[in-house]
């Protein structure tokens, strides 16, 4: 009897049974009505010895879109929504990528990534989540040949209670990016 109770306790205490799931991560990421803050993006270009560093502010409204205001090294404002990526030219929104093939799939992937839509991401990536709701890491590896042509992997980690503690790393086939809110 004592062995049975010990085995039952060890089974219930097993981290695998109480692990943080991708569905729980999606719920956590979709809780706030908006997320805003500052960002720093480092992009390691093969042609440069040092990473190119940009910075600015962002506002993400789940299921609506993202406003990305780069302030350095130059100012530009982008709006990413399901209907496209638009750039503010000082008086109106313009579409610098109008007519580009595959843009809608890229936008959906980007918004799924930012909005925590793990169901959408699972169509294109194998997801490996570790950690807890408070401190987590999500690793995405491409499933399809098309996606593998663009990404080696995407790694995102964060503290669900604080956007200041979130980081993301996107390892592109060409030049990796690192974004730190």
């Amino acid at each position: 009897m004592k062995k049975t109770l010990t085995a039952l306790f060890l089974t219930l205490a097993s981290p695998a049974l109480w692990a943080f799931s991708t569905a729980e991560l999606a719920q956590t990421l979709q809780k706030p009505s908006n997320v805003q803050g500052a960002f720093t993006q480092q992009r390691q270009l093969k042609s440069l010895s040092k990473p190119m560093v940009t910075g600015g502010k962002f506002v993400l409204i789940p299921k609506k879109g993202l406003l990305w205001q780069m302030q350095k090294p130059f100012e530009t404002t982008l709006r990413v929504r399901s209907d496209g990526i638009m750039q503010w030219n000082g008086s109106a929104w313009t579409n610098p990528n109008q007519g580009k093939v595959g843009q809608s799939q890229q936008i959906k992937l980007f918004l799924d990534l930012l909005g925590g839509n793990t169901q959408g991401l699972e169509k294109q990536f194998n997801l490996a989540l570790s950690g807890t709701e408070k401190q987590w890491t999500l690793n995405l590896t491409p499933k399809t040949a098309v996606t593998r042509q663009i990404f080696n992997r995407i790694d995102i980690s964060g503290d669900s209670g604080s956007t200041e503690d979130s980081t993301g790393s996107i390892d592109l086939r060409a030049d990796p990016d690192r974004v730190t809110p």
Side-chain angles (χ1 to χ4, degrees), residues 66-69 76-80 85-88 93 96:
L66 170 74
L67 186 65
W68 191 263
Q69 297 174 303
T76 188
T77 300
L78 298 174
R79 180 184 73 193
V80 182
I85 299 173
M86 305 292 273
Q87 185 171 12
W88 182 252
W93 291 103

Side-chain angles (χ1 to χ4, degrees), residues 16-163:
L17 289 177
W18 300 101
F20 187 49
S21 72
T22 54
E24 291 169 315
L25 175 62
Q27 282 182 329
T28 299
L29 294 175
Q30 293 170 4
K31 278 181 190 173
S33 60
N34 71 62
V35 178
Q36 51 189 312
F39 71 87
T40 301
Q41 179 179 11
Q42 294 181 21
R43 185 163 195 174
Q44 185 63 54
L45 300 173
K46 291 179 182 180
S47 59
L48 299 175
S49 60
K50 293 183 179 180
M52 181 175 71
V53 179
T54 61
K57 297 178 186 177
F58 71 94
V59 178
L60 172 66
I61 301 175
K63 298 185 179 163
K64 297 272 188 192
L66 170 74
L67 186 65
W68 191 263
Q69 297 174 303
M70 188 170 65
Q71 297 170 321
K72 64 176 187 171
F74 54 88
E75 290 189 18
T76 188
T77 300
L78 298 174
R79 180 184 73 193
V80 182
R81 298 190 316 198
S82 60
D83 62 348
I85 299 173
M86 305 292 273
Q87 185 171 12
W88 182 252
N89 69 9
S91 60
W93 291 103
T94 62
N95 187 345
N97 299 310
Q98 193 165 10
K100 288 211 174 174
V101 177
Q103 184 185 25
S104 63
Q105 291 96 346
Q106 291 173 347
I107 292 168
K108 176 151 179 30
L109 172 65
F110 188 64
L111 292 175
D112 285 347
L113 189 60
L114 293 173
N117 180 1
T118 55
Q119 288 181 334
L121 292 172
E122 285 175 330
K123 293 175 185 172
Q124 304 263 350
F125 295 93
N126 292 310
L127 279 56
L129 178 63
S130 60
T132 66
E133 182 180 1
K134 300 250 184 251
Q135 198 113 49
W136 51 267
T137 299
L138 179 63
N139 306 103
L140 296 90
T141 52
K143 283 184 179 179
T144 66
V146 172
T147 309
R148 281 192 298 271
Q149 289 176 358
I150 303 167
F151 303 103
N152 286 324
R153 71 176 189 279
I154 299 174
D155 301 315
I156 308 164
S157 60
D159 172 347
S160 297
S162 170
T163 56

